[in-house]
Amino acid sequence: MTATTIRRWLHWTLSVPAVAVVLLAATWGRDPGPVLLVIEGVFLIGSVLAAVHHAEVVAHKVGEPYGSLVLAVAVTVIEVALIVTLMLSGKGDTSTLARDTVFSAVMLTMNGIVGLSVLVGARRHHLVVFNAEGTGSALATVVALAGLTLVLPRFTTSEPGPVFSASQLAFAAIASLALYGLFVFTQTVRHRDFFLPTTPDGDVLAEDQHAAPPTMAATMTSLVVLIAALVAVVGLTKIESPAIEAGVAALGFPQSFVGVVIALLVLLPESIAAVKAASRNRLQTSLNLAYGSAMASIGLTIPTIAIASIWIPGPLALGLEPVHMLLFGLSVVIALLTVIPGRAKTLQGWVHLVLLAAFLFLSVRP
């Protein structure tokens, strides 16, 4: 093994996930002390960042818009695993955990990732452009998915409270999978050009030429390490979850804020990748990541949770509270006004970020 190879394997994007997996194996099923919890927390965040890097390597190899799907699916795997693990742990009332996490992901993507990407891109390039047709169809799918799974349960009457009946939940799960599958087909096959970065004149931009595509060996290495990093993130988060819940309670925050914490963690890779794309004047890629993550969070998470609810004790409350429905409605209106022109400036970014701030504040002080 040459010195160059050794240095390559000691790079943090490879070594951090490896150490995280070792820590996971060494502490699984045990009760680590405070110092070890802090160390594992550091490697947990490092594994998330490493996952970003390796997902981007794979995305660069496959190109857009397939690359945007890589991170979306990776994030969904983490999200589903965390929700199911915490719900099965049976600690406290977890009936709304799936709803809180999924809605947090929707708000973080529609306002956080979109707002920050628009702000960064517009500040650097004065005005950012994107394909309104492709982005509009993505937004429409997100709104339909959220309406079917998060708003509708508040108004159904077959079961008391914001809960679907078994048949209603099955319908919502099937409809979610169908909508997500139809969108992926549209994005990757039928109308792929609608989701590629464009010039101000509407011409499709060529793939970035700042770096050559990675070799197949490098791509496969990144794919393997990406999977290892995701395993480490899921496992370490399960170990850290009691500390997270205790920290939320110590701060006096509602238990529902745990869902916000999970969403913030799992969406970190998407956020970093989207902002980097916006800084390179590729806002379309940022929007693909944002709305793709929102769709995957609903279209894949809800069906999986619906199946898992067979074994999860207690009800599965999906219906949003009135204040959250109002925030969602405002977010939809603002998103429409941002998407329709096909271009955006810094003001739109700030408006989305203010809505995100309102959501976070009301999550702490409902």
Side-chain angles (χ1 to χ4, degrees):
M1 184 178 291
T2 65
T4 302
T5 303
I6 293 175
R7 284 195 299 270
R8 177 174 174 268
W9 280 100
L10 288 177
H11 193 270
W12 74 270
T13 59
L14 295 171
S15 59
V16 167
V19 174
V21 170
V22 172
L23 284 172
L24 174 61
T27 57
W28 185 259
R30 301 181 182 180
D31 187 16
V35 175
L36 191 54
L37 280 174
V38 171
I39 294 174
E40 289 184 331
V42 171
F43 277 93
L44 169 61
I45 297 173
S47 296
V48 173
L49 297 176
V52 175
H53 169 78
H54 293 292
E56 286 185 329
V57 171
V58 177
H60 190 193
K61 180 68 174 179
V62 300
E64 280 296 313
Y66 302 99
S68 299
L69 295 174
V70 173
L71 274 175
V73 172
V75 166
T76 304
V77 170
I78 298 175
E79 184 177 16
V80 169
L82 294 180
I83 293 173
V84 172
T85 300
L86 289 174
M87 292 186 75
L88 287 175
S89 67
K91 297 179 180 178
D93 181 15
T94 60
S95 63
T96 64
L97 181 61
R99 178 201 69 184
D100 296 334
T101 304
V102 171
F103 182 64
S104 297
V106 171
M107 294 299 289
L108 288 169
T109 52
M110 287 184 65
N111 292 310
I113 297 180
V114 170
L116 193 57
S117 298
V118 169
L119 182 62
V120 169
R123 283 181 63 88
R124 186 164 184 173
H125 304 285
H126 185 63
L127 194 69
V128 285
V129 296
F130 51 90
N131 192 316
E133 289 181 274
T135 306
S137 62
L139 176 61
T141 309
V142 171
V143 173
L145 284 168
L148 283 172
T149 59
L150 300 177
V151 177
L152 199 58
R154 177 58 66 176
F155 300 97
T156 55
T157 57
S158 295
E159 294 287 340
V163 178
F164 272 143
S165 67
S167 59
Q168 291 169 343
L169 183 59
F171 172 79
I174 294 171
S176 298
L177 279 175
L179 279 174
Y180 183 72
L182 287 169
F183 178 82
V184 170
F185 176 77
T186 300
Q187 184 186 36
T188 58
V189 180
R190 187 70 174 177
H191 296 290
R192 181 175 180 269
D193 54 318
F194 285 0
F195 300 90
L196 297 176
T198 60
T199 66
D201 296 327
D203 298 325
V204 175
L205 286 171
E207 295 287 344
D208 289 333
Q209 300 299 322
H210 64 282
T215 63
M216 182 56 68
T219 302
M220 294 307 297
T221 299
S222 288
L223 182 61
V224 172
V225 178
L226 172 61
I227 294 172
L230 295 178
V231 170
V233 168
V234 173
L236 290 179
T237 304
K238 183 181 184 303
I239 294 174
E240 297 280 333
S241 59
I244 294 173
E245 293 175 342
V248 169
L251 291 171
F253 294 171
Q255 192 65 24
S256 60
F257 195 77
V258 174
V260 179
V261 174
I262 294 174
L264 285 169
L265 177 63
V266 299
L267 286 173
L268 181 60
E270 298 281 47
S271 303
I272 295 173
V275 171
K276 289 175 67 175
S279 68
R280 300 197 308 269
N281 204 19
R282 295 295 191 270
L283 185 64
Q284 184 65 56
T285 300
S286 304
L287 297 177
N288 290 347
L289 287 167
Y291 292 128
S293 297
M295 273 184 279
S297 181
I298 306 172
L300 298 180
T301 300
I302 295 299
T304 306
I305 297 299
I307 296 174
S309 65
I310 298 173
W311 300 279
I312 296 175
L316 179 62
L318 293 177
L320 294 175
E321 299 297 329
V323 65
H324 288 158
M325 286 192 286
L326 178 58
L327 283 173
F328 178 65
L330 285 173
S331 299
V332 171
V333 172
I334 298 303
L336 284 171
L337 296 176
T338 299
V339 167
I340 288 173
R343 58 182 184 175
K345 49 189 179 293
T346 55
L347 177 60
Q348 282 100 323
W350 283 118
V351 172
H352 281 286
L353 291 176
V354 168
L355 281 176
L356 174 66
F359 164 70
L360 293 176
F361 175 77
L362 292 173
S363 296
V364 174
R365 291 289 181 264

